[in-house]
PDB file of all heavy atoms in Angstrom:
ATOM      1  N   ASP A   5       0.836  -1.201   0.000  1.00 98.00           N
ATOM      2  CA  ASP A   5       0.000   0.000   0.000  1.00 98.00           C
ATOM      3  C   ASP A   5       0.871   1.252   0.000  1.00 98.00           C
ATOM      4  O   ASP A   5       1.599   1.505   0.966  1.00 98.00           O
ATOM      5  CB  ASP A   5      -0.894  -0.007   1.237  1.00 98.00           C
ATOM      6  CG  ASP A   5      -1.872   1.176   1.280  1.00 98.00           C
ATOM      7  OD1 ASP A   5      -1.794   2.055   0.400  1.00 98.00           O
ATOM      8  OD2 ASP A   5      -2.713   1.205   2.205  1.00 98.00           O
ATOM      9  N   PRO A   6       0.814   2.081  -1.056  1.00 97.00           N
ATOM     10  CA  PRO A   6       1.679   3.259  -1.138  1.00 97.00           C
ATOM     11  C   PRO A   6       1.301   4.382  -0.183  1.00 97.00           C
ATOM     12  O   PRO A   6       2.055   5.358  -0.058  1.00 97.00           O
ATOM     13  CB  PRO A   6       1.511   3.706  -2.593  1.00 97.00           C
ATOM     14  CG  PRO A   6       0.161   3.220  -2.987  1.00 97.00           C
ATOM     15  CD  PRO A   6      -0.025   1.922  -2.257  1.00 97.00           C
ATOM     16  N   LYS A   7       0.183   4.246   0.488  1.00 97.00           N
ATOM     17  CA  LYS A   7      -0.240   5.285   1.427  1.00 97.00           C
ATOM     18  C   LYS A   7       0.056   4.916   2.879  1.00 97.00           C
ATOM     19  O   LYS A   7      -0.233   5.710   3.784  1.00 97.00           O
ATOM     20  CB  LYS A   7      -1.743   5.551   1.266  1.00 97.00           C
ATOM     21  CG  LYS A   7      -2.128   6.079  -0.111  1.00 97.00           C
ATOM     22  CD  LYS A   7      -3.624   6.322  -0.212  1.00 97.00           C
ATOM     23  CE  LYS A   7      -3.995   6.844  -1.599  1.00 97.00           C
ATOM     24  NZ  LYS A   7      -5.461   7.085  -1.719  1.00 97.00           N
ATOM     25  N   ASP A   8       0.626   3.738   3.088  1.00 98.00           N
ATOM     26  CA  ASP A   8       0.848   3.236   4.443  1.00 98.00           C
ATOM     27  C   ASP A   8       2.345   3.148   4.734  1.00 98.00           C
ATOM     28  O   ASP A   8       3.002   2.183   4.347  1.00 98.00           O
ATOM     29  CB  ASP A   8       0.205   1.855   4.591  1.00 98.00           C
ATOM     30  CG  ASP A   8       0.257   1.322   6.017  1.00 98.00           C
ATOM     31  OD1 ASP A   8       1.035   1.846   6.830  1.00 98.00           O
ATOM     32  OD2 ASP A   8      -0.492   0.367   6.313  1.00 98.00           O
ATOM     33  N   PRO A   9       2.907   4.154   5.436  1.00 98.00           N
ATOM     34  CA  PRO A   9       4.350   4.122   5.707  1.00 98.00           C
ATOM     35  C   PRO A   9       4.751   2.924   6.553  1.00 98.00           C
ATOM     36  O   PRO A   9       5.853   2.379   6.385  1.00 98.00           O
ATOM     37  CB  PRO A   9       4.615   5.445   6.431  1.00 98.00           C
ATOM     38  CG  PRO A   9       3.288   5.888   6.956  1.00 98.00           C
ATOM     39  CD  PRO A   9       2.276   5.374   5.982  1.00 98.00           C
ATOM     40  N   GLY A  10       3.875   2.497   7.464  1.00 98.00           N
ATOM     41  CA  GLY A  10       4.187   1.339   8.291  1.00 98.00           C
ATOM     42  C   GLY A  10       4.322   0.073   7.469  1.00 98.00           C
ATOM     43  O   GLY A  10       5.232  -0.737   7.701  1.00 98.00           O
ATOM     44  N   ALA A  11       3.435  -0.102   6.485  1.00 98.00           N
ATOM     45  CA  ALA A  11       3.491  -1.287   5.635  1.00 98.00           C
ATOM     46  C   ALA A  11       4.749  -1.271   4.768  1.00 98.00           C
ATOM     47  O   ALA A  11       5.385  -2.310   4.553  1.00 98.00           O
ATOM     48  CB  ALA A  11       2.246  -1.359   4.754  1.00 98.00           C
ATOM     49  N   MET A  12       5.116  -0.091   4.271  1.00 98.00           N
ATOM     50  CA  MET A  12       6.337   0.002   3.460  1.00 98.00           C
ATOM     51  C   MET A  12       7.577  -0.274   4.296  1.00 98.00           C
ATOM     52  O   MET A  12       8.499  -0.983   3.863  1.00 98.00           O
ATOM     53  CB  MET A  12       6.404   1.375   2.782  1.00 98.00           C
ATOM     54  CG  MET A  12       5.421   1.516   1.625  1.00 98.00           C
ATOM     55  SD  MET A  12       5.518   3.099   0.753  1.00 98.00           S
ATOM     56  CE  MET A  12       4.479   4.117   1.810  1.00 98.00           C
ATOM     57  N   ALA A  13       7.623   0.285   5.503  1.00 98.00           N
ATOM     58  CA  ALA A  13       8.765   0.036   6.378  1.00 98.00           C
ATOM     59  C   ALA A  13       8.851  -1.441   6.750  1.00 98.00           C
ATOM     60  O   ALA A  13       9.947  -2.017   6.813  1.00 98.00           O
ATOM     61  CB  ALA A  13       8.652   0.894   7.634  1.00 98.00           C
ATOM     62  N   ALA A  14       7.698  -2.061   6.976  1.00 98.00           N
ATOM     63  CA  ALA A  14       7.680  -3.487   7.314  1.00 98.00           C
ATOM     64  C   ALA A  14       8.195  -4.326   6.151  1.00 98.00           C
ATOM     65  O   ALA A  14       8.919  -5.315   6.356  1.00 98.00           O
ATOM     66  CB  ALA A  14       6.258  -3.924   7.690  1.00 98.00           C
ATOM     67  N   TYR A  15       7.839  -3.945   4.915  1.00 98.00           N
ATOM     68  CA  TYR A  15       8.348  -4.683   3.754  1.00 98.00           C
ATOM     69  C   TYR A  15       9.866  -4.573   3.693  1.00 98.00           C
ATOM     70  O   TYR A  15      10.566  -5.566   3.448  1.00 98.00           O
ATOM     71  CB  TYR A  15       7.738  -4.141   2.466  1.00 98.00           C
ATOM     72  CG  TYR A  15       8.213  -4.903   1.248  1.00 98.00           C
ATOM     73  CD1 TYR A  15       7.588  -6.081   0.852  1.00 98.00           C
ATOM     74  CD2 TYR A  15       9.320  -4.472   0.523  1.00 98.00           C
ATOM     75  CE1 TYR A  15       8.047  -6.812  -0.235  1.00 98.00           C
ATOM     76  CE2 TYR A  15       9.785  -5.186  -0.568  1.00 98.00           C
ATOM     77  CZ  TYR A  15       9.150  -6.356  -0.948  1.00 98.00           C
ATOM     78  OH  TYR A  15       9.615  -7.079  -2.015  1.00 98.00           O
ATOM     79  N   GLN A  16      10.380  -3.364   3.917  1.00 98.00           N
ATOM     80  CA  GLN A  16      11.832  -3.178   3.878  1.00 98.00           C
ATOM     81  C   GLN A  16      12.528  -4.019   4.947  1.00 98.00           C
ATOM     82  O   GLN A  16      13.574  -4.631   4.686  1.00 98.00           O
ATOM     83  CB  GLN A  16      12.176  -1.694   4.071  1.00 98.00           C
ATOM     84  CG  GLN A  16      11.763  -0.819   2.913  1.00 98.00           C
ATOM     85  CD  GLN A  16      11.894   0.654   3.212  1.00 98.00           C
ATOM     86  OE1 GLN A  16      11.276   1.478   2.571  1.00 98.00           O
ATOM     87  NE2 GLN A  16      12.690   1.009   4.219  1.00 98.00           N
ATOM     88  N   ARG A  17      11.956  -4.059   6.145  1.00 97.00           N
ATOM     89  CA  ARG A  17      12.584  -4.838   7.229  1.00 97.00           C
ATOM     90  C   ARG A  17      12.487  -6.342   6.977  1.00 97.00           C
ATOM     91  O   ARG A  17      13.372  -7.099   7.385  1.00 97.00           O
ATOM     92  CB  ARG A  17      11.925  -4.502   8.569  1.00 97.00           C
ATOM     93  CG  ARG A  17      12.243  -3.105   9.089  1.00 97.00           C
ATOM     94  CD  ARG A  17      11.789  -2.952  10.544  1.00 97.00           C
ATOM     95  NE  ARG A  17      10.354  -3.124  10.698  1.00 97.00           N
ATOM     96  CZ  ARG A  17       9.471  -2.120  10.636  1.00 97.00           C
ATOM     97  NH1 ARG A  17       9.900  -0.880  10.394  1.00 97.00           N
ATOM     98  NH2 ARG A  17       8.186  -2.350  10.786  1.00 97.00           N
ATOM     99  N   GLY A  18      11.434  -6.751   6.297  1.00 97.00           N
ATOM    100  CA  GLY A  18      11.205  -8.183   6.113  1.00 97.00           C
ATOM    101  C   GLY A  18      11.767  -8.757   4.829  1.00 97.00           C
ATOM    102  O   GLY A  18      11.680  -9.972   4.613  1.00 97.00           O
ATOM    103  N   HIS A  19      12.312  -7.920   3.970  1.00 98.00           N
ATOM    104  CA  HIS A  19      12.836  -8.394   2.682  1.00 98.00           C
ATOM    105  C   HIS A  19      14.212  -7.791   2.419  1.00 98.00           C
ATOM    106  O   HIS A  19      14.440  -6.604   2.680  1.00 98.00           O
ATOM    107  CB  HIS A  19      11.885  -8.020   1.537  1.00 98.00           C
ATOM    108  CG  HIS A  19      10.529  -8.634   1.665  1.00 98.00           C
ATOM    109  ND1 HIS A  19       9.560  -8.128   2.514  1.00 98.00           N
ATOM    110  CD2 HIS A  19       9.974  -9.730   1.065  1.00 98.00           C
ATOM    111  CE1 HIS A  19       8.475  -8.867   2.418  1.00 98.00           C
ATOM    112  NE2 HIS A  19       8.691  -9.841   1.557  1.00 98.00           N
ATOM    113  N   ASP A  20      15.096  -8.594   1.897  1.00 97.00           N
ATOM    114  CA  ASP A  20      16.452  -8.144   1.593  1.00 97.00           C
ATOM    115  C   ASP A  20      16.664  -8.065   0.090  1.00 97.00           C
ATOM    116  O   ASP A  20      16.037  -8.799  -0.682  1.00 97.00           O
ATOM    117  CB  ASP A  20      17.488  -9.104   2.188  1.00 97.00           C
ATOM    118  CG  ASP A  20      17.449  -9.143   3.709  1.00 97.00           C
ATOM    119  OD1 ASP A  20      17.182  -8.083   4.308  1.00 97.00           O
ATOM    120  OD2 ASP A  20      17.666 -10.233   4.275  1.00 97.00           O
ATOM    121  N   ILE A  21      17.560  -7.178  -0.307  1.00 98.00           N
ATOM    122  CA  ILE A  21      18.058  -7.170  -1.679  1.00 98.00           C
ATOM    123  C   ILE A  21      19.312  -8.025  -1.677  1.00 98.00           C
ATOM    124  O   ILE A  21      20.292  -7.702  -0.986  1.00 98.00           O
ATOM    125  CB  ILE A  21      18.378  -5.740  -2.150  1.00 98.00           C
ATOM    126  CG1 ILE A  21      17.144  -4.834  -2.038  1.00 98.00           C
ATOM    127  CG2 ILE A  21      18.898  -5.764  -3.595  1.00 98.00           C
ATOM    128  CD1 ILE A  21      17.438  -3.356  -2.279  1.00 98.00           C
ATOM    129  N   GLU A  22      19.294  -9.099  -2.410  1.00 98.00           N
ATOM    130  CA  GLU A  22      20.397 -10.057  -2.377  1.00 98.00           C
ATOM    131  C   GLU A  22      21.749  -9.385  -2.605  1.00 98.00           C
ATOM    132  O   GLU A  22      22.747  -9.736  -1.960  1.00 98.00           O
ATOM    133  CB  GLU A  22      20.161 -11.133  -3.442  1.00 98.00           C
ATOM    134  CG  GLU A  22      21.256 -12.185  -3.504  1.00 98.00           C
ATOM    135  CD  GLU A  22      21.056 -13.147  -4.668  1.00 98.00           C
ATOM    136  OE1 GLU A  22      20.027 -13.027  -5.369  1.00 98.00           O
ATOM    137  OE2 GLU A  22      21.937 -13.988  -4.890  1.00 98.00           O
ATOM    138  N   GLY A  23      21.781  -8.413  -3.503  1.00 98.00           N
ATOM    139  CA  GLY A  23      23.061  -7.819  -3.880  1.00 98.00           C
ATOM    140  C   GLY A  23      23.468  -6.587  -3.110  1.00 98.00           C
ATOM    141  O   GLY A  23      24.446  -5.924  -3.483  1.00 98.00           O
ATOM    142  N   VAL A  24      22.760  -6.242  -2.030  1.00 98.00           N
ATOM    143  CA  VAL A  24      23.125  -5.084  -1.210  1.00 98.00           C
ATOM    144  C   VAL A  24      23.107  -5.513   0.247  1.00 98.00           C
ATOM    145  O   VAL A  24      22.042  -5.789   0.809  1.00 98.00           O
ATOM    146  CB  VAL A  24      22.152  -3.895  -1.413  1.00 98.00           C
ATOM    147  CG1 VAL A  24      22.625  -2.685  -0.624  1.00 98.00           C
ATOM    148  CG2 VAL A  24      22.020  -3.546  -2.892  1.00 98.00           C
ATOM    149  N   ARG A  25      24.301  -5.559   0.875  1.00 98.00           N
ATOM    150  CA  ARG A  25      24.377  -6.094   2.232  1.00 98.00           C
ATOM    151  C   ARG A  25      25.328  -5.255   3.081  1.00 98.00           C
ATOM    152  O   ARG A  25      26.386  -4.820   2.598  1.00 98.00           O
ATOM    153  CB  ARG A  25      24.852  -7.544   2.195  1.00 98.00           C
ATOM    154  CG  ARG A  25      24.914  -8.233   3.547  1.00 98.00           C
ATOM    155  CD  ARG A  25      25.195  -9.714   3.379  1.00 98.00           C
ATOM    156  NE  ARG A  25      26.516  -9.961   2.823  1.00 98.00           N
ATOM    157  CZ  ARG A  25      27.621 -10.113   3.573  1.00 98.00           C
ATOM    158  NH1 ARG A  25      27.545 -10.038   4.897  1.00 98.00           N
ATOM    159  NH2 ARG A  25      28.783 -10.355   2.999  1.00 98.00           N
ATOM    160  N   ALA A  26      24.928  -5.025   4.325  1.00 98.00           N
ATOM    161  CA  ALA A  26      25.820  -4.386   5.293  1.00 98.00           C
ATOM    162  C   ALA A  26      26.574  -5.490   6.028  1.00 98.00           C
ATOM    163  O   ALA A  26      25.981  -6.237   6.820  1.00 98.00           O
ATOM    164  CB  ALA A  26      25.024  -3.529   6.267  1.00 98.00           C
ATOM    165  N   LYS A  27      27.864  -5.608   5.771  1.00 98.00           N
ATOM    166  CA  LYS A  27      28.676  -6.626   6.441  1.00 98.00           C
ATOM    167  C   LYS A  27      28.849  -6.280   7.911  1.00 98.00           C
ATOM    168  O   LYS A  27      28.862  -7.146   8.782  1.00 98.00           O
ATOM    169  CB  LYS A  27      30.022  -6.730   5.738  1.00 98.00           C
ATOM    170  CG  LYS A  27      30.929  -7.819   6.259  1.00 98.00           C
ATOM    171  CD  LYS A  27      32.204  -7.885   5.438  1.00 98.00           C
ATOM    172  CE  LYS A  27      33.139  -8.976   5.937  1.00 98.00           C
ATOM    173  NZ  LYS A  27      34.407  -9.008   5.142  1.00 98.00           N
ATOM    174  N   ASP A  28      29.004  -4.997   8.188  1.00 98.00           N
ATOM    175  CA  ASP A  28      29.029  -4.458   9.541  1.00 98.00           C
ATOM    176  C   ASP A  28      28.658  -2.986   9.424  1.00 98.00           C
ATOM    177  O   ASP A  28      28.268  -2.523   8.349  1.00 98.00           O
ATOM    178  CB  ASP A  28      30.386  -4.662  10.225  1.00 98.00           C
ATOM    179  CG  ASP A  28      31.560  -4.117   9.410  1.00 98.00           C
ATOM    180  OD1 ASP A  28      31.454  -2.958   8.926  1.00 98.00           O
ATOM    181  OD2 ASP A  28      32.573  -4.817   9.254  1.00 98.00           O
ATOM    182  N   ASP A  29      28.763  -2.235  10.505  1.00 98.00           N
ATOM    183  CA  ASP A  29      28.326  -0.840  10.481  1.00 98.00           C
ATOM    184  C   ASP A  29      29.076   0.012   9.470  1.00 98.00           C
ATOM    185  O   ASP A  29      28.545   1.025   8.999  1.00 98.00           O
ATOM    186  CB  ASP A  29      28.482  -0.219  11.871  1.00 98.00           C
ATOM    187  CG  ASP A  29      27.360  -0.619  12.819  1.00 98.00           C
ATOM    188  OD1 ASP A  29      26.402  -1.269  12.349  1.00 98.00           O
ATOM    189  OD2 ASP A  29      27.440  -0.287  14.014  1.00 98.00           O
ATOM    190  N   ARG A  30      30.286  -0.389   9.111  1.00 98.00           N
ATOM    191  CA  ARG A  30      31.098   0.459   8.233  1.00 98.00           C
ATOM    192  C   ARG A  30      31.480  -0.226   6.930  1.00 98.00           C
ATOM    193  O   ARG A  30      32.313   0.296   6.185  1.00 98.00           O
ATOM    194  CB  ARG A  30      32.369   0.922   8.963  1.00 98.00           C
ATOM    195  CG  ARG A  30      32.105   1.918  10.101  1.00 98.00           C
ATOM    196  CD  ARG A  30      33.391   2.464  10.668  1.00 98.00           C
ATOM    197  NE  ARG A  30      34.245   3.027   9.621  1.00 98.00           N
ATOM    198  CZ  ARG A  30      35.577   3.059   9.690  1.00 98.00           C
ATOM    199  NH1 ARG A  30      36.207   2.546  10.732  1.00 98.00           N
ATOM    200  NH2 ARG A  30      36.283   3.596   8.723  1.00 98.00           N
TER     201      ARG A  30
END
């Protein structure tokens, strides 16, 4: 839902982009 910031944030937290990863904080 493009009008629901909570739903968008939840999608981001629950799904990863395989090719973009934080190995550590830096």
Side-chain angles (χ1 to χ4, degrees):
D5 184 355
K7 298 180 180 180
D8 186 344
M12 286 182 276
Y15 181 85
Q16 291 170 201
R17 290 191 299 269
H19 298 79
D20 296 325
I21 303 171
E22 180 186 356
V24 184
R25 183 172 66 89
K27 184 177 180 181
D28 54 47
D29 281 353
R30 291 187 53 209

